[in-house]
Amino acid sequence: MTSIASVTLEVADPAAADRFYSAAFGLGDRLRLRASEEPTSGFRGFTLSLVVSQPADVDALLDAAVRAGATTLKPAAKSLWGYGGVVQAPDGTIWQLASSSKKNTGPATRQVDEVVLLLGVEDVKASKQFYVEHGLAVGKSFGSKYVEFAADGPVKLALYKRRGLAKVAGVSPDGTGSHRLVIGSDAGPFTDPDGFAWTTASESASV
């Protein structure tokens, strides 16, 4: 089964981005950085979600991110599905911090249980079929709204309608230019229908 080993963010200043992510999230090899000056504006069509076990962990990560320079897009709050908030890193990447639990069960930690890459796509069904043909196994599917693929690696993949994902993130869906994202996987190099670039895990490890 195809798995995602890491995601590479293309940033203007890799050293500054590394300082931010080390202070905010500490994701190790799951997150890589490389320099890019590719033009980009507005919503880049994806978010990264950090799933944790309790609300206190959401707050700890959100506070660490803000202290390191992130901007709050949605303050942490309870919802029907749990508890979460959204921040935007200084490099422009949008991060969702979320827990399915609404109650704390222990002291706050910054332990991340799952990293989920959510791609905002124009046609969820077509993109789902594309990824199935490239070796990903569907874990959950809600028609043309949302698809989550089974995780067999450090990063889980999910598909969302672009407008819906932008609404969840608290931003306008409008955006142009580069996604500023490269996905490292054992599926081999390809570009999906929405322009998201995939490379081999070994290549992403060398950047």
Side-chain angles (χ1 to χ4, degrees), residues 52-64 67 83 103-112:
V52 297
S53 62
Q54 60 178 353
D57 301 336
V58 170
D59 291 336
L61 287 170
L62 193 149
D63 290 346
R67 284 197 307 270
Y83 183 85
K103 292 184 178 179
N104 292 319
T105 56
T109 73
R110 288 168 58 189
Q111 175 68 37
V112 174

Side-chain angles (χ1 to χ4, degrees), residues 122-189:
E122 291 302 321
D123 188 328
V124 171
K125 286 186 176 180
S127 291
K128 171 187 171 184
Q129 184 60 34
F130 175 87
Y131 279 115
V132 167
E133 290 171 358
H134 281 78
L136 278 80
V138 174
K140 298 177 184 176
S141 181
F142 299 93
S144 61
K145 300 284 188 182
Y146 176 81
V147 175
E148 185 177 288
F149 294 95
D152 189 31
V155 182
K156 179 183 284 187
L157 178 68
L159 307 177
Y160 215 122
K161 288 285 287 185
R162 180 185 170 98
R163 282 191 166 275
L165 184 58
K167 185 175 181 180
V168 168
V171 297
S172 165
D174 298 328
T176 60
S178 173
H179 292 300
R180 292 283 188 97
L181 174 75
V182 179
I183 304 162
S185 165
D186 52 10

Side-chain angles (χ1 to χ4, degrees), residues 1-9 27-32 46-51 95 112-119 131 136-137 146-159 181-187 198 201 204:
M1 186 169 65
T2 296
S3 64
I4 299 175
S6 64
V7 293
T8 299
L9 300 178
L27 297 175
D29 290 343
R30 290 176 287 187
L31 180 68
R32 302 180 187 279
F46 75 93
T47 69
L48 283 155
S49 183
L50 304 183
V51 181
W95 293 81
V112 174
D113 298 330
E114 277 187 336
V115 178
V116 184
L117 171 61
L118 294 102
L119 300 183
Y131 279 115
L136 278 80
Y146 176 81
V147 175
E148 185 177 288
F149 294 95
D152 189 31
V155 182
K156 179 183 284 187
L157 178 68
L159 307 177
L181 174 75
V182 179
I183 304 162
S185 165
D186 52 10
W198 289 59
S204 67

